[in-house]
Amino acid sequence: MTKKGPIIIIDDDEEDQLLCKTALENLIHPDQIRTFTNGSDAFKYLLDTKENPYLILCDLQMPKMDGLELRVQINNNDKLRKKTIPFIFISGSAHKEDLTEAYELGVHGFFTKPNSLDGWKDCIEKILQYWNACLEPGDLIL
């Protein structure tokens, strides 16, 4: 991974969180991964951290604060919105209403959860390749 900052995984399903984390660990250093089981804890981290997260991978349905609510909170916070952290849903299901609302909230991608570790590795690798190549507002353009 060429860009700096931790990758945030937000998922209340321990098995899916472990699969995502394991897939990431094959591609980046493990100390660059932060995990949360709900949007509320992740939002508190995002508000309080001095780190500049590189990417957020978030489940849709979670207790306390679901992924859509988290996205709304990020959008409504000037500090977090200006960080332009790529926000991607990786969900167990993809209903038309959820997809529509997610994209209306400005998410940067929506994927269904893979069924195997190899599937997770493939999905995560594609996401990282895209975001490593993508220019962001803070990038120097020659």
Side-chain angles (χ1 to χ4, degrees), residues 95-111:
H95 300 290
K96 183 177 180 177
E97 301 82 23
D98 293 333
L99 282 164
T100 300
E101 187 173 358
Y103 282 106
E104 285 174 354
L105 293 171
V107 299
H108 302 96
F110 198 116
F111 297 82

Side-chain angles (χ1 to χ4, degrees), residues 32-43:
Q32 291 180 301
I33 301 169
R34 309 288 179 268
T35 59
F36 301 92
T37 57
N38 63 72
S40 181
D41 292 344
F43 185 67

Side-chain angles (χ1 to χ4, degrees), residues 70-117:
L70 173 60
R71 184 63 186 165
V72 167
Q73 292 299 313
I74 289 171
N75 286 347
N76 290 336
N77 183 284
D78 285 340
K79 173 186 162 190
L80 295 179
R81 188 177 60 256
K82 288 178 183 176
K83 283 188 174 187
T84 64
I85 306 165
F87 191 106
I88 297 171
F89 279 117
I90 302 182
S91 179
S93 63
H95 300 290
K96 183 177 180 177
E97 301 82 23
D98 293 333
L99 282 164
T100 300
E101 187 173 358
Y103 282 106
E104 285 174 354
L105 293 171
V107 299
H108 302 96
F110 198 116
F111 297 82
T112 55
K113 289 181 179 180
N115 295 324
S116 66
L117 180 56

Side-chain angles (χ1 to χ4, degrees), residues 18-140:
L18 179 62
L19 287 167
C20 185
K21 185 176 180 183
T22 302
L24 276 168
E25 288 173 345
N26 283 278
L27 300 165
I28 67 170
H29 201 276
D31 70 358
Q32 291 180 301
I33 301 169
R34 309 288 179 268
T35 59
F36 301 92
T37 57
N38 63 72
S40 181
D41 292 344
F43 185 67
K44 184 175 179 350
Y45 160 81
L46 291 167
L47 286 175
D48 295 342
T49 188
K50 302 240 186 286
E51 298 178 314
N52 289 310
Y54 166 55
L55 182 67
I56 296 171
L57 302 173
C58 186
D59 189 17
L60 194 62
Q61 301 295 324
M62 296 175 292
K64 288 190 182 179
M65 180 189 293
D66 69 26
L68 293 170
E69 292 172 293
L70 173 60
R71 184 63 186 165
V72 167
Q73 292 299 313
I74 289 171
N75 286 347
N76 290 336
N77 183 284
D78 285 340
K79 173 186 162 190
L80 295 179
R81 188 177 60 256
K82 288 178 183 176
K83 283 188 174 187
T84 64
I85 306 165
F87 191 106
I88 297 171
F89 279 117
I90 302 182
S91 179
S93 63
H95 300 290
K96 183 177 180 177
E97 301 82 23
D98 293 333
L99 282 164
T100 300
E101 187 173 358
Y103 282 106
E104 285 174 354
L105 293 171
V107 299
H108 302 96
F110 198 116
F111 297 82
T112 55
K113 289 181 179 180
N115 295 324
S116 66
L117 180 56
D118 286 339
W120 276 97
K121 287 178 184 177
D122 183 55
C123 180
I124 297 297
E125 185 172 29
K126 287 175 183 170
I127 292 169
L128 291 180
Q129 286 174 347
Y130 176 85
W131 285 106
N132 280 332
C134 188
L135 294 175
E136 298 174 12
D139 292 339
L140 176 64

